[in-house]
Amino acid sequence: MIAALTHLVRLGRAGIVFAREGVLALVDPLRLPVPARVALACARLIERPTGERAAVRLASALTRLGPTYVKLGQFLATRPDVVGVALSRDLESLQDKMTPFGQAEAEAMVSAALGKPLSELFTRFGPPVAAASIAQVHRAETAAADGPRAVAVKVLRPDIGRRFRVDLDAFTFAARQAEHWSREARRLRVVDVVDTLARSVAIEMDFRLEAAAISEMADNTKDDPDFRVPAIDWERTAKEALTLEWIDATPLSDRARLEAKGFDLKALARGLMQTFLRHALRDGFFHADMHPGNLFIDDSGRLVAVDFGIMGRLGAAERRFLAEILYGFITRDYRRTAEVHFEAGYVPPHHSVESFAQAIRAIGEPIHSRTAAEISMAKLLTLLFEVTGLFDMRTRPELLLLQKTMVVVEGVARSLDPALDMWATADPVVREWVERHLGPAGRIEDAAGGAAEVGRFLGGVPGLLSRGARIADQIDAATRDGLVLAPETVAAIGAAEARRNRWTAAALWVIAGLLAWVVVWGL
């Protein structure tokens, strides 16, 4: 009860901030019951008049409420199924920029995290160059045989773990209440949404895990000629501090500098899109925060990504599903695209494949009937999420994260080449994956993998038979002279029976007393 009241107070404070900043203007009152409409109208009485759009005011409110709410807004930007496509696109512009904490405090954090005096770790430790909700980044230098080496040091904010934990507990309370009262909330699995956010934040606050993600992606892409990641300084990396190679390259957002250096912007756009798809399909592991501030082009023309706090994973089944879906859209094979949804178990079997194929066609045909510059990914996602609700599809967070990242990547690529055709760009990567894994070579590998599984099972059969024989002998010994109960078991049964008899006797006396009362007063 006390915890619930604490959560309500915290959520109530957030509600007041939202009302004051005018965020409630985003709520459609016509979709609410009458009591909720009255409450909404009352809450809007304290709205502060501004000339800004409601979505801009939402970003302002989230920033005022602190790091957890900023992170929630960024996370919901990847969940258009929950907040709607238009609002999710507005939330993409939410900047995770916070006031940096003090230099002395940062130096003390790094020294404590790495267990050494700062002077032994770095020859120079500069002021913060960027500050976000979870951490801030400093430029520093370390001693090397060939001279000073520039590094980026990411430092965790003090006491940020406790603050996130308290706010996330309140989010979980609100999500559970929503699922209790709303069928749509249960379909969207809002409790899972909060759980996913909590896991994502926990990973972001342990920089060893981010370093591991960078290392894994470095292994996956070591043979890619057009992509690389920063090198990790493991000696200067711990849970609260991460040290990486300093990236001295051109930001992908700086179109003028890219043109001045002679880069082919159309080639960069195609390379960015195809790199992302290769990571998702080939590796099942992709950078899920590929906004322009995290992407650079080095002097050799390679794409360099930074900030690996948010990563996406796809299992083998999800990768096959993704490849067949994309391939189906590219080739306009909507029947096969619909069948893939049913085979993956994403659409309940009581629905019609033909009806779902018709809905998929409604999504796919606008892509092929317009020029590349006219294709609206927002409209495409709107149709997709309407279809998922119509056919009772359960939310797949990993696929939604992939879809949203794909839209962000396409937006960055379109900023370089406004006429980019996403589907023509994706075709070679998807077709290569389909031919490799779903063609003859892939089927042979699947058969070999199946044979290996059968071999492992057959190898374990003697052990299973031996254990089964031992169990049969034990059962036979236990039942040869009838089942024998341990003295403790007999005593427990006797005590339970005595309690039952006492309660039965008490019930009978109560009934007898009631009957006597009825007889006496009836006379």
Side-chain angles (χ1 to χ4, degrees):
M1 177 62 73
I2 295 176
L5 289 175
T6 302
H7 296 327
L8 288 173
V9 169
R10 290 185 177 278
L11 294 169
R13 172 182 169 271
I16 291 172
V17 173
F18 286 146
R20 180 67 178 155
E21 294 296 322
V23 176
L24 299 183
L26 294 167
V27 180
D28 182 4
L30 297 178
R31 302 182 65 179
L32 300 176
V34 174
R37 292 184 198 179
V38 174
L40 179 64
C42 292
R44 293 198 63 185
L45 292 176
I46 65 171
E47 184 173 308
R48 180 169 59 88
T50 68
E52 298 174 331
R53 294 187 305 115
V56 175
R57 296 199 294 268
L58 173 59
S60 174
L62 292 171
T63 303
R64 282 193 58 190
L65 287 168
T68 315
Y69 285 84
V70 170
K71 193 59 64 178
L72 174 66
Q74 291 180 316
F75 181 74
L76 290 178
T78 70
R79 296 301 303 269
D81 60 315
V82 176
V83 298
V85 173
L87 186 55
S88 73
R89 290 177 69 85
D90 287 330
L91 285 172
E92 287 174 10
S93 62
L94 180 63
Q95 297 297 308
D96 191 1
K97 293 182 179 178
M98 296 287 176
T99 303
F101 54 94
Q103 177 76 7
E105 198 171 11
E107 292 179 0
M109 286 282 294
V110 173
S111 180
L114 300 178
K116 292 181 180 180
L118 200 71
S119 58
E120 293 184 17
L121 296 165
F122 304 98
T123 56
R124 178 180 175 274
F125 193 87
V129 295
S133 57
I134 287 179
Q136 65 187 35
V137 178
H138 296 250
R139 177 166 180 159
E141 291 180 354
T142 61
D146 55 349
R149 182 167 61 95
V151 294
V153 183
K154 191 172 182 179
V155 189
L156 191 70
R157 281 186 175 273
D159 199 35
I160 193 65
R162 182 198 60 80
R163 184 166 184 178
F164 267 93
R165 185 167 57 253
V166 169
D167 286 336
L168 288 169
D169 285 344
F171 293 169
T172 301
F173 172 79
R176 285 174 178 164
Q177 297 305 310
E179 285 201 3
H180 178 74
W181 295 105
S182 170
R183 179 176 177 273
E184 181 65 9
R186 288 191 293 274
R187 187 186 77 82
L188 294 173
R189 302 194 295 187
V190 292
V191 172
D192 287 350
V193 171
V194 176
D195 288 343
T196 303
L197 172 62
R199 288 193 299 272
S200 173
V201 168
I203 290 172
E204 282 195 74
M205 288 194 296
D206 189 338
F207 294 150
R208 296 170 301 185
L209 299 179
E210 182 175 347
I214 298 172
S215 176
E216 182 176 350
M217 181 154 279
D219 287 342
N220 291 343
T221 61
K222 62 182 183 294
D223 296 325
D224 293 0
D226 54 358
F227 179 85
R228 75 179 185 91
V229 297
I232 308 165
D233 186 338
W234 286 103
E235 183 183 351
R236 296 173 178 82
T237 293
K239 183 177 180 180
E240 297 88 6
L242 170 64
T243 304
L244 300 168
E245 165 195 3
W246 180 266
I247 298 300
D248 189 8
T250 307
L252 204 60
S253 57
D254 194 339
R255 183 186 178 97
R257 282 182 60 190
L258 292 172
E259 289 178 334
K261 289 191 172 186
F263 289 113
D264 183 343
L265 299 190
K266 292 185 177 182
L268 291 179
R270 287 194 305 273
L272 172 64
M273 195 70 203
Q274 292 178 350
T275 292
F276 166 71
L277 287 172
R278 267 195 298 271
H279 295 171
L281 287 173
R282 181 192 66 193
D283 308 325
F285 188 58
F286 59 93
H287 193 304
D289 195 18
M290 296 183 75
H291 62 76
N294 286 339
L295 300 172
F296 299 83
I297 300 295
D298 67 15
D299 289 340
S300 63
R302 288 182 298 177
L303 179 69
V304 186
V306 300
D307 194 356
F308 289 77
I310 304 175
M311 303 298 294
R313 284 193 184 276
L314 297 174
E318 286 78 20
R319 278 185 274 168
R320 176 170 182 161
F321 170 76
L322 169 65
E324 293 217 47
I325 290 295
L326 291 176
Y327 194 66
F329 275 123
I330 291 170
T331 60
R332 303 173 77 175
D333 188 349
Y334 303 116
R335 168 76 187 200
R336 178 56 192 155
T337 303
E339 289 173 348
V340 170
H341 279 78
F342 281 82
E343 290 172 5
Y346 296 157
V347 179
H350 63 269
H351 287 291
S352 163
V353 175
E354 289 75 15
S355 296
F356 192 69
Q358 180 182 353
I360 293 294
R361 182 179 292 272
I363 297 172
E365 282 304 299
I367 295 173
H368 295 282
S369 62
R370 298 181 183 181
T371 63
E374 294 176 328
I375 296 173
S376 169
M377 290 302 299
K379 184 176 181 180
L380 180 71
L381 284 175
T382 300
L383 285 171
L384 180 61
F385 294 128
E386 287 177 359
V387 166
T388 62
L390 186 63
F391 287 86
D392 302 319
M393 284 177 61
R394 298 294 301 273
T395 301
R396 304 289 303 187
E398 70 276 13
L399 293 177
L400 286 170
L401 182 61
L402 176 89
Q403 289 172 333
K404 192 61 180 177
T405 308
M406 187 181 297
V407 173
V408 173
V409 171
E410 186 199 12
V412 177
R414 286 272 176 86
S415 70
L416 300 171
D417 178 11
L420 177 71
D421 184 338
M422 185 186 77
W423 300 103
T425 303
D427 189 2
V429 179
V430 175
R431 193 179 297 274
E432 178 186 0
W433 193 94
V434 169
E435 291 174 355
R436 171 68 182 79
H437 292 273
L438 304 182
R443 295 183 186 279
I444 291 173
E445 284 188 4
D446 288 345
E453 288 292 330
V454 171
R456 280 192 289 272
F457 172 76
L458 292 177
V461 166
L464 290 173
L465 294 176
S466 177
R467 286 194 295 274
R470 286 198 300 272
I471 292 170
D473 289 342
Q474 291 169 0
I475 293 173
D476 179 64
T479 59
R480 187 173 299 127
D481 298 318
L483 287 172
V484 179
L485 298 179
E488 296 83 356
T489 305
V490 174
I493 293 173
E497 186 66 20
R499 286 194 299 272
R500 187 179 69 82
N501 290 337
R502 285 198 297 270
W503 281 109
T504 301
L508 289 173
W509 277 110
V510 171
I511 293 170
L514 290 173
L515 288 173
W517 182 80
V518 170
V519 170
V520 171
W521 287 98
L523 294 175

